[in-house]
Amino acid sequence: MLLPRKPVFITLALILMLAAVLSACSKSGTASPETSAPSGNAGSKENITLRMTVWGSPEEVAPYKKAIQNFEAKHPNVKVELQHIAADYDTKLTTMVAGNDVPDIAMMESGTIAFPMAEQGKFYNLQEFLDTDADISPDTLVPNITYSLEPGNVIGIGPGPESFGLFYNEDIFKEAGIEPPPSNVADAWTWDEFVEVAKKLTVDTNGKTAADPDFDPKKIKQYGANLSTWWGVYSNFIYSNGGDFISADGKTFALNQPEAVEALQKIADLMNVHHVSPSPVQSKNIPATNVALQTKKVAMTVDGQWASAGLAQSKFNFNVGVMPVMKEPVTTVVCGMFSIFKSTKHPQETWELLKALLDPEASIDMLTAGTWMPSPKDWYTDPALLAKWTENLDARPSGYKEAIVDVILTKGHQTPTGYVKNFNNIMDLVNPALDKVWLGQQTAQEAMDSIAVKAQAQVKGRRDIKE
């Protein structure tokens, strides 16, 4: 599962500055950027070693090991040293780079150190490889999983996209006699329809629903819905409502604009007006998605598709529908990326390794478990390949193909960490302001207006437009 991780603020700026002034002498296995260039052939046949760093649980690292085995079998002159950094990944990798102990390829997170390193010229422009490779191009990949410093300068490719859906307990809907969420995007609920269903499925300890006049919001036994206050979740609805984090020209803070404000307010109203979704305080008593749905603490929840792995293991009747729509159906696409350092002596071999890491056959166990999704587009469009990871599996319920697979291909939107410059500094102002909104202490308009001047000062532009 490739989730955005907590940004590293402490020491990062100092370490990156240190990297720029350290000796140009490199350790063995590295070369200066000026001497490294992708060749048009498959690389040399000398015996070489490539170094690779990743984060993740042992289960997530296992597919990388399998991909490496497959790669080494095809390239017997190449050995890959895999370094699994289980904790403090960003800090440790940054320290390695500052000390000129640089891997050839590394897993990177768009929300933390990837773009600061890219701005220092640490990474290859992968567009150079994509333009000439016969096997892989942007058109062969799922949309929104390449990350660019600016148009034409690709710094990373995601090994597995993740999107969002509306997961629910089928038994709750059957017992209430209510039609479950549609899986086909053409039939998606409007936001108001979603709210009305959530009211009927929110039940207090006396058995009254939130649609009843004598419902007690202080004694809720079952919430009709659960929308977390993470930007990854609420971004879906900002985009659905036609809003964004910054303006289309990259010059203006946009979370205080009508489209974004309306989406944020509607989410807050679920908690504070309709009482159908737990507030941040109430969420402390709500378990993880799989347990919350299984134990009927919650009837439906918006979560990343990776939740299907835990749901499958919980052994109850769950399914997934398409998220409710404000104006247009949208899903935010989030994923980590693999980046190739310019200091590698073996750019072509490292590129071939990156391609091997994108091969779904190596990660088939994680795909069938429900944790990951594949990167190549044909694994979504070719019926035989699609069946390998979506059919006759506990983790892939009946609504999955329409609600998740179809939507990510046609309605995906790149994560804001991929195109909003200075995203973390902007969100350092946004998050505490939104806390007051989620708790009903301010309106979304009041909260976003209160930080607009400071947030505007942090706006540095967009990576998806030429400046």
Side-chain angles (χ1 to χ4, degrees):
M1 173 171 56
L2 300 174
L3 290 174
R5 295 169 297 112
K6 184 179 290 185
V8 174
F9 300 105
I10 300 174
T11 76
L12 178 56
L14 179 60
I15 293 173
L16 287 175
M17 289 175 62
L18 177 62
V21 298
L22 283 173
S23 168
C25 297
S26 61
K27 295 193 175 214
S28 61
T30 65
S32 69
E34 291 77 16
T35 60
S36 300
S39 61
N41 55 40
S44 67
K45 294 304 180 182
E46 62 177 313
N47 291 326
I48 63 175
T49 298
L50 301 179
R51 294 175 57 213
M52 169 182 167
T53 60
V54 299
W55 69 75
S57 66
E59 293 78 13
E60 291 174 304
V61 176
Y64 301 141
K65 293 180 179 179
K66 185 175 181 180
I68 288 170
Q69 290 176 351
N70 295 343
F71 170 77
E72 290 178 339
K74 293 181 180 179
H75 304 270
N77 63 309
V78 184
K79 296 298 179 185
V80 179
E81 291 182 356
L82 176 63
Q83 184 174 355
H84 175 211
I85 303 175
D88 298 324
Y89 182 90
D90 290 346
T91 300
K92 291 177 182 177
L93 181 60
T94 302
T95 302
M96 289 168 60
V97 173
N100 216 19
D101 182 21
V102 188
D104 297 274
I105 185 171
M107 195 76 183
M108 304 296 297
E109 168 55 51
S110 62
T112 55
I113 63 173
F115 285 109
M117 284 191 178
E119 286 164 355
Q120 288 206 348
K122 299 295 185 184
F123 300 136
Y124 258 112
N125 180 0
L126 301 183
Q127 190 66 50
E128 299 176 30
F129 298 99
L130 292 168
D131 285 343
T132 58
D133 196 285
D135 302 321
I136 183 174
S137 71
D139 291 338
T140 66
L141 298 171
V142 174
N144 302 302
I145 66 169
T146 59
Y147 292 86
S148 299
L149 186 63
E150 59 183 5
N153 186 353
V154 178
I155 67 165
I157 301 176
E162 299 283 8
S163 63
F164 294 84
L166 184 61
F167 293 90
Y168 62 95
N169 183 315
E170 288 187 313
D171 293 337
I172 291 177
F173 278 84
K174 289 177 182 178
E175 292 164 4
I178 298 173
E179 284 293 316
S183 58
N184 191 308
V185 70
D187 302 322
W189 284 337
T190 64
W191 184 261
D192 290 342
E193 289 172 332
F194 167 65
V195 171
E196 289 307 308
V197 172
K199 286 181 179 179
K200 294 176 183 178
L201 296 177
T202 300
V203 184
D204 67 16
T205 54
N206 294 318
K208 301 296 183 179
T209 74
D212 296 326
D214 51 353
F215 168 75
D216 188 349
K218 295 182 180 180
K219 296 181 178 180
I220 296 176
K221 179 176 66 174
Q222 173 183 288
Y223 287 94
N226 185 18
L227 275 72
S228 82
T229 56
W230 171 43
W231 62 259
V233 170
Y234 66 70
S235 65
N236 291 282
F237 303 103
I238 289 175
Y239 296 142
S240 177
N241 207 40
D244 206 330
F245 290 75
I246 59 173
S247 60
D249 62 6
K251 296 180 180 179
T252 308
F253 175 67
L255 288 182
N256 66 337
Q257 298 304 302
E259 298 83 0
V261 164
E262 182 181 28
L264 293 169
Q265 189 62 57
K266 285 184 174 181
I267 294 172
D269 287 349
L270 294 177
M271 308 168 195
N272 303 307
V273 176
H274 307 301
H275 306 291
V276 299
S277 182
S279 70
V281 174
Q282 294 162 331
S283 291
K284 294 178 181 179
N285 297 318
I286 301 296
T289 291
N290 60 323
V291 178
L293 291 179
Q294 181 187 32
T295 59
K296 300 183 179 180
K297 297 287 186 183
V298 172
M300 27 178 195
T301 184
V302 173
D303 206 341
Q305 79 83 36
W306 56 83
S308 58
L311 289 164
Q313 294 172 6
S314 297
K315 303 296 182 183
F316 72 102
N317 295 322
F318 82 96
N319 213 322
V320 61
V322 67
M323 289 181 292
V325 172
M326 291 192 175
K327 290 180 181 176
E328 297 292 336
V330 176
T331 184
T332 303
V333 181
V334 297
C335 59
M337 71 179 92
F338 280 115
S339 299
I340 296 176
F341 280 91
K342 270 189 178 179
S343 54
T344 180
K345 277 187 174 182
H346 309 286
Q348 189 62 38
E349 288 85 354
T350 307
W351 169 249
E352 294 298 324
L353 173 58
L354 190 155
K355 289 166 57 179
L357 294 166
L358 300 181
D359 182 3
E361 293 290 358
S363 58
I364 193 67
D365 291 342
M366 295 296 285
L367 296 175
T368 56
T371 308
W372 286 0
M373 300 174 75
S375 293
K377 191 185 295 183
D378 59 359
W379 277 67
Y380 297 72
T381 57
D382 183 314
L385 294 176
L386 179 62
K388 285 187 175 185
W389 62 283
T390 61
E391 293 185 3
N392 302 315
L393 296 167
D394 291 341
R396 307 304 188 192
S398 60
Y400 186 86
K401 286 184 182 179
E402 287 186 323
I404 301 296
V405 173
D406 290 353
V407 173
I408 196 174
L409 284 184
T410 61
K411 305 297 181 182
H413 192 293
Q414 190 177 40
T415 170
T417 61
Y419 68 90
V420 178
K421 293 182 179 180
N422 212 31
F423 179 78
N424 288 330
N425 287 341
I426 295 173
M427 296 307 291
D428 284 343
L429 297 166
V430 170
N431 289 330
L434 283 179
D435 286 342
K436 296 179 181 179
V437 179
W438 311 138
L439 294 174
Q441 297 169 353
Q442 284 188 331
T443 66
Q445 189 71 67
E446 290 169 343
M448 294 299 94
D449 283 346
S450 73
I451 62 163
V453 173
K454 290 183 178 179
Q456 180 61 44
Q458 296 298 326
V459 171
K460 305 300 181 185
R462 298 176 64 113
R463 301 188 187 282
D464 54 357
I465 59 175
K466 278 283 189 183
E467 294 185 355

